[in-house]
Amino acid sequence: MLLPVIMAGGSGSRLWPLSRTLYPKQFLALTSNATMLQETVKRLDGIDHLAPLFICNEEHRFIVAEQLRKGGMDNSGIILEPVGRNTAPAIALAALKAIANNEDPLLLVLAADHVIQNTDAFLSSVQHAKVEAEKGKLVTFGIVPTHPETGYGYIRRGKALNSDAYCVDAFVEKPQLATAKDYVGSSEYYWNSGMFLFKASRYLAELEKYAPKILNVCQTAMDASKADLDFTRLDKALFIACPDDSIDYAVMEKTQDAVVVPMDANWSDVGSWSSLWEVNEKDASGNATRGDVLVENTTNSYIYSQDKLVATVGVNDLVIVETKDAVLVAHKDKVQDVKGIVDQLKKANRYEYLQHREVYRPWGTHDEIAEGDRFHVKHVMVKPGERTATQLHYHRAEHWVVVKGTAKVINGDKSYLLTENESTYIPIGSAHSIENPGQIPLELIEVRSGAYLSEDDVVRLEDYGVGY
């Protein structure tokens, strides 16, 4: 049995302003109409496997579940990490869950935010790796380098086991450019992809040998975990004691059974805007564009428009990214420094590093339309069959105008229906919620008025997922 384990954590700060802490790059559609998470699942269609097991941050749980639902994709569960502790513990949690029913599947560990353009080559490498994994080896996939890259770690191959697999001789840290050129020229080095294949029991055995505290904490946290629909919720107080370590440091650099299988599949971890430019289709002038974009005398640039027309004239080697609440302009050679902008936003306590203007909730979305002195206007969408949390506010009143669908409104001790072009008033201090009893999305305009309009003026009267 092959069980894909898809790690969907991480913040992807180098792809700001599209990638935000609460909606990072793995949940974005960057190279097709499908999100990177959905693409990761789709490329497994050519190989027999169990429904994938997912690992993600607690705050991303509904995004993962919703994207799987939209893609019509099954899962073997979604493990929620209350805090991030790197890849070694994350994979340990997956392995422990995999053997819980006295089974011992092969774990195909994948990141949810990689681009792999040659799916056939990817699947071929997986088949070659299965041969070694079934023998008890811990297999990592080494990407055949296309250029001297200083942003990746490398794997040096050792003795050939066959024409498709080698013993791992060494894991090498990110090199200087001159060293990277030597690596690429030698044909003995591969980029470290962060993808793995091994039996669940073999990984746990090596973890017990080389990083027993990680295994002990993960076992304790899993034993105390609770099932909630498809989610496995860990005890935060127990898991927070887990050491923070990568699988490379904790196991792969120490085990005697590490094997590397080469993969030449047009792979990218999309770690920057320049790498996204590289993997996207380009026009005759070398421009990769997405959205409402017009170019004139523009070359070798990446231009992304989410909400407005973006036009460029006489520019070269630029990255321009427009979202509803931010615009990034950077030289392609300096895009690694975008993280510095994110750090500035965090220090200034600005929301733009954390989330988009349009915010996704389990029940739907809300998007700011206008804001001024004593008023705030939002567009709210509630999915069929869903409702918001019951809540009240001490400093603001609200007017709701239904523009599409039907709303069931709870307003104090009253319950009533609103249809298109009807409205209602929610006084300060009145407990309220919105439900969509219909078959189409409910859309309404919410107008807040009062002296204090911030999101923290809310008292939730019931625990119903996430309110707003």
Side-chain angles (χ1 to χ4, degrees), residues 189-314:
Y189 289 81
Y190 305 101
W191 291 338
N192 189 348
S193 69
M195 299 185 291
F196 305 91
L197 182 62
F198 36 64
K199 287 183 179 178
S201 61
R202 281 293 296 129
Y203 177 70
L204 294 174
E206 295 299 90
L207 197 63
E208 184 175 25
K209 184 186 300 184
Y210 298 113
K213 185 174 181 180
I214 291 178
L215 179 60
N216 290 339
V217 172
C218 289
Q219 181 70 71
T220 303
M222 283 297 289
D223 289 344
S225 66
K226 297 179 180 179
D228 176 12
L229 301 176
D230 290 338
F231 303 124
T232 298
R233 295 179 176 273
L234 302 179
D235 186 296
K236 182 176 181 179
L238 294 174
F239 188 67
I240 202 169
C242 188
D244 185 317
D245 209 353
S246 70
I247 180 178
D248 286 348
Y249 289 136
V251 173
M252 297 301 292
E253 293 186 4
K254 299 172 182 176
T255 181
Q256 301 302 304
D257 290 316
V259 169
V260 59
V261 168
M263 181 182 292
D264 190 2
N266 294 334
W267 169 95
S268 173
D269 71 346
V270 197
S272 69
W273 287 112
S274 58
S275 60
L276 189 58
W277 170 80
E278 289 172 357
V279 300
N280 270 279
E281 291 187 11
K282 304 171 189 64
D283 63 19
S285 298
N287 300 309
T289 64
R290 189 160 184 153
D292 193 4
V293 174
L294 294 176
V295 296
E296 180 72 23
N297 192 23
T298 297
T299 57
N300 300 320
S301 295
Y302 181 89
I303 308 164
Y304 183 105
S305 166
Q306 183 182 83
D307 190 54
K308 300 176 181 67
L309 168 65
V310 176
T312 64
V313 180

Side-chain angles (χ1 to χ4, degrees), residues 149-166:
E149 174 60 57
T150 60
Y152 300 148
Y154 285 71
I155 301 169
R156 185 171 70 233
R157 75 186 191 194
K159 183 182 69 173
L161 299 174
N162 53 58
S163 59
D164 303 305
Y166 303 84

Side-chain angles (χ1 to χ4, degrees), residues 12-88:
S13 60
R14 288 183 176 85
L15 288 185
W16 184 89
L18 272 188
S19 180
R20 312 277 175 107
T21 298
L22 295 183
Y23 210 85
K25 67 174 182 176
Q26 58 267 31
F27 306 124
L28 300 173
L30 296 178
T31 59
S32 71
N33 292 327
T35 68
M36 299 188 79
L37 174 72
Q38 292 167 335
E39 289 285 6
T40 303
V41 177
K42 286 169 58 179
R43 73 174 62 102
L44 296 168
D45 288 346
I47 193 170
D48 291 334
H49 63 85
L50 300 170
L53 176 63
F54 296 84
I55 306 170
C56 72
N57 302 336
E58 174 82 22
E59 60 264 29
H60 297 153
R61 62 194 185 280
F62 291 117
I63 303 174
V64 172
E66 176 65 8
Q67 292 201 353
L68 296 179
R69 185 194 68 79
K70 282 187 174 180
M73 298 167 175
D74 294 330
N75 70 81
S76 293
I78 303 171
I79 300 174
L80 306 179
E81 290 185 296
V83 291
R85 285 295 181 263
N86 217 315
T87 53

Side-chain angles (χ1 to χ4, degrees), residues 136-183:
K137 301 296 184 181
L138 284 77
V139 182
T140 184
F141 295 92
I143 304 300
V144 177
T146 57
H147 60 276
E149 174 60 57
T150 60
Y152 300 148
Y154 285 71
I155 301 169
R156 185 171 70 233
R157 75 186 191 194
K159 183 182 69 173
L161 299 174
N162 53 58
S163 59
D164 303 305
Y166 303 84
C167 293
V168 172
D169 189 55
F171 288 86
V172 183
E173 295 293 334
K174 299 174 183 177
Q176 298 294 320
L177 181 58
T179 304
K181 289 179 179 178
D182 291 339
Y183 289 170

Side-chain angles (χ1 to χ4, degrees), residues 387-392 410 430-434 458-464 467:
R387 66 182 176 94
T388 66
T390 301
Q391 55 193 280
L392 59 83
I410 302 296
S430 179
H432 58 276
S433 68
I434 317 164
V458 59
V459 177
R460 293 190 179 90
L461 304 180
E462 59 179 304
D463 183 13
Y464 186 80

